[in-house]
Amino acid sequence: MAAVLMLCAMIPMAAISVSAANCISNGTFESGTGSWGKSTNTVLTVEDGALKATHGDDWAYVYTKATLTPNTDYVITFRAKADKGGFKINFNDTSWNSAKETVPSLSPAITTEWKEFELEFNSAGYSALLLFFQSNQYGSAAQTIWLDDVVVTEKVDEPVIPEDPDLP
């Protein structure tokens, strides 16, 4: 028995990776455009496995609902590109009221080449938010953006397991 305990004590502990669940559905667009909404003059299609949103006016957006835990830190990751710059991410409550007083808008630098983004936010007192990818090209011609791999997860700090100085 002592030999078994000694053997177990000698096995190094590996860091355990904790993966939080995605708070939105269909962020990879494998189910087409399902669960994503749009402004009136926006056309949604899936092209090469990514959401393609072509906007025909200056108040253009696509959105999806994120189910959250109030007062919790979250991370949103996604890949995006656009034919013109100028997109931002806004948060609204599920009654379509702006939540920017507690959850500020995020303005990633979306370019004409695919780029990965990782942004953090806090859900404030909300249990659900509408996540908008909105055009900043007010009064301009049509604009197209592509989105893929959209994931919203609770921010999880990796556990730090101290090493035992007595182990070989």
Side-chain angles (χ1 to χ4, degrees), residues 46-104:
V46 175
E47 181 180 279
D48 297 326
L51 180 71
K52 178 182 178 183
T54 302
H55 309 288
D57 63 11
D58 61 356
W59 189 251
Y61 55 83
V62 296
Y63 69 93
T64 192
K65 180 181 174 182
T67 303
L68 309 168
T69 301
N71 303 307
T72 303
D73 292 327
Y74 286 89
V75 176
I76 175 173
T77 58
F78 61 96
R79 294 183 329 112
K81 70 176 183 173
D83 65 347
K84 302 173 190 162
F87 258 80
K88 64 182 176 180
I89 301 171
N90 284 330
F91 298 91
N92 285 21
D93 67 20
T94 54
S95 298
W96 290 76
N97 298 309
S98 174
K100 68 182 174 185
E101 71 282 355
T102 53
V103 185

Side-chain angles (χ1 to χ4, degrees), residues 1-166:
M1 180 71 159
V4 172
L5 290 176
M6 179 60 91
L7 180 61
C8 289
M10 293 176 62
I11 299 172
M13 295 285 292
I16 300 170
S17 177
V18 178
S19 179
N22 194 352
C23 299
I24 64 168
S25 61
N26 196 31
T28 58
F29 307 102
E30 292 176 4
S31 299
T33 60
S35 78
W36 285 80
K38 64 181 184 67
S39 57
T40 304
N41 293 330
T42 300
V43 176
L44 298 182
T45 57
V46 175
E47 181 180 279
D48 297 326
L51 180 71
K52 178 182 178 183
T54 302
H55 309 288
D57 63 11
D58 61 356
W59 189 251
Y61 55 83
V62 296
Y63 69 93
T64 192
K65 180 181 174 182
T67 303
L68 309 168
T69 301
N71 303 307
T72 303
D73 292 327
Y74 286 89
V75 176
I76 175 173
T77 58
F78 61 96
R79 294 183 329 112
K81 70 176 183 173
D83 65 347
K84 302 173 190 162
F87 258 80
K88 64 182 176 180
I89 301 171
N90 284 330
F91 298 91
N92 285 21
D93 67 20
T94 54
S95 298
W96 290 76
N97 298 309
S98 174
K100 68 182 174 185
E101 71 282 355
T102 53
V103 185
S105 64
L106 306 170
S107 297
I110 296 176
T111 66
T112 58
E113 299 295 322
W114 279 108
K115 187 175 175 183
E116 292 184 24
F117 297 90
E118 181 174 303
L119 306 164
E120 295 182 12
F121 68 97
N122 185 284
S123 59
Y126 297 100
S127 60
L129 287 172
L130 298 175
L131 174 65
F132 283 80
F133 290 83
Q134 181 179 338
S135 173
N136 285 341
Q137 300 293 322
Y138 302 118
S140 66
Q143 181 177 16
T144 300
I145 66 163
W146 292 262
L147 296 172
D148 202 6
D149 303 323
V150 183
V151 177
V152 177
T153 56
E154 187 173 327
K155 184 178 177 184
V156 178
D157 293 323
E158 291 289 328
V160 177
I161 301 172
E163 292 186 27
D164 186 342
D166 295 331

